[in-house]
Amino acid sequence: MRSLVVSSVLLMGVVVMVNGQGTFLSFPVETLCDNRPRGWNFNGHNYFFTGDIKNDNNFVDQNGAPKKFNWLEARNICRERCMDAVGMETKQENDMIFNFVEKNNLTYIWTSGRLCDFDGCEREDLKPKKVLGWFWSNTNTKMAPTNSTPSGWNYQPWSQTGHTGASQPDNAEFDINQTSESCMGVLNNIYKDGIKWHDIACYHKKPVVCEDNDDLLKFIDSKRTRGRPNPNPGNSNSRNTNSRNTNFSGGQSSHFRNRANNF
């Protein structure tokens, strides 16, 4: 499965529309990254569930109840901590998340799953979008076709039913209020279908599982490196690295814009 870098919409410096209002994807914050919650570890990545965090106004409301987030808010609450909404690129990771949902009797969670239905997605290899246009925005990795079981998996993670009774993804809300179901969550037996993937309109509020993001962690490390004197100022490779990192951190990140060309 080739790497899928879609557009800067997925990472930084881009406005995403939620409820008619533009919102930027967040940059990581060093102190939040250093002190990010570490609920559990799987294959070298830390994870946490926002509903587990207490005594933090970022995660609980004034009554102490766990907050829920729209899809972009969910990504940003993770990204500020050098994490992102979880992406289940492998069966093993998906099994882990399904087991977590079942064990904790969760109704639903957001993931980083996204439909490529914005500018730059008008490519033949992404058509039909319902089948070939889904990807994990945390790693920019293309998902398997939605109408087949992913290679190496022994089950189809997309549900075979939903609001209309059709298999997922079905974009059902578009027929109700012309809102596309462009984001992906895990639902727990809401349609008597077990724990399954569903396409969902991005404005809905849900908790999220956050997962370490290697690029954001490297970004914070590079900021620390830039804050120290260059141990070898005559080394051209050091100068080039610093230049790339400066571009990476500024405004609309050229680092991610360049990656967008590879999708």
Side-chain angles (χ1 to χ4, degrees), residues 2-263:
R2 69 188 180 96
S3 176
L4 185 69
V5 179
V6 215
S7 156
S8 27
V9 151
L10 309 178
L11 290 166
M12 288 197 182
V14 169
V15 176
V16 179
M17 301 303 292
V18 177
N19 285 345
Q21 298 181 342
T23 305
F24 278 91
L25 281 167
S26 294
F27 282 91
V29 179
E30 184 173 344
T31 55
L32 295 179
C33 292
D34 290 344
N35 297 290
R36 67 192 184 278
R38 294 167 170 86
W40 69 94
N41 188 282
F42 180 80
N43 283 350
H45 272 192
N46 295 298
Y47 297 76
F48 77 92
F49 174 57
T50 54
D52 286 340
I53 307 303
K54 315 297 182 187
N55 303 317
D56 185 331
N57 292 336
N58 291 296
F59 298 100
V60 296
D61 63 23
Q62 59 185 2
N63 298 315
K67 285 184 178 179
K68 297 177 183 179
F69 312 92
N70 67 42
W71 183 80
L72 188 60
E73 291 170 343
R75 287 195 68 194
N76 281 344
I77 201 76
C78 300
R79 288 175 58 85
E80 290 166 359
R81 292 157 176 80
C82 285
M83 305 175 94
D84 208 331
V86 65
M88 293 90 80
E89 295 91 344
T90 68
K91 176 184 178 296
Q92 292 73 24
E93 190 172 18
N94 193 72
D95 288 345
M96 181 269 290
I97 291 298
F98 276 19
N99 289 336
F100 179 81
V101 169
E102 180 179 27
K103 178 180 177 181
N104 292 276
N105 196 29
L106 304 179
T107 305
Y108 40 56
I109 61 167
W110 277 127
T111 75
S112 69
R114 185 64 161 84
L115 179 66
C116 194
D117 60 354
F118 39 81
D119 288 347
C121 296
E122 303 83 8
R123 296 207 324 248
E124 292 302 316
D125 62 306
L126 300 177
K127 297 177 182 178
K129 284 194 180 359
K130 175 182 175 180
V131 177
L132 300 177
W134 285 87
F135 63 97
W136 299 112
S137 62
N138 64 323
T139 56
N140 296 331
T141 302
K142 192 173 183 180
M143 294 185 194
T146 61
N147 61 357
S148 64
T149 300
S151 177
W153 296 41
N154 59 0
Y155 62 90
Q156 166 60 280
W158 288 99
S159 178
Q160 296 305 303
T161 189
H163 179 75
T164 65
S167 60
Q168 300 296 295
D170 62 357
N171 200 26
E173 191 164 336
F174 189 82
D175 293 333
I176 300 171
N177 58 21
Q178 286 70 60
T179 301
S180 294
E181 295 187 334
S182 300
C183 296
M184 196 267 269
V186 173
L187 304 186
N188 185 357
N189 207 37
I190 289 179
Y191 297 99
K192 309 301 180 185
D193 55 345
I195 300 172
K196 290 289 186 178
W197 297 359
H198 285 257
D199 60 330
I200 304 165
C202 304
Y203 71 87
H204 288 286
K205 301 276 189 174
K206 303 184 187 303
V208 62
V209 170
C210 296
E211 173 189 1
D212 276 353
N213 184 280
D214 293 336
D215 283 337
L216 299 183
L217 287 165
K218 289 175 183 176
F219 170 56
I220 288 298
D221 284 343
S222 74
K223 286 186 66 178
R224 291 192 179 101
T225 301
R226 289 199 306 276
R228 295 193 294 267
N230 188 344
N232 189 5
N235 187 305
S236 61
N237 289 333
S238 296
R239 287 199 302 271
N240 289 340
T241 299
N242 288 339
S243 173
R244 285 197 300 272
N245 287 336
T246 299
N247 290 336
F248 180 82
S249 64
Q252 296 193 0
S253 164
S254 63
H255 174 88
F256 285 129
R257 285 202 304 272
N258 290 338
R259 288 180 65 184
N261 297 327
N262 298 325
F263 177 166

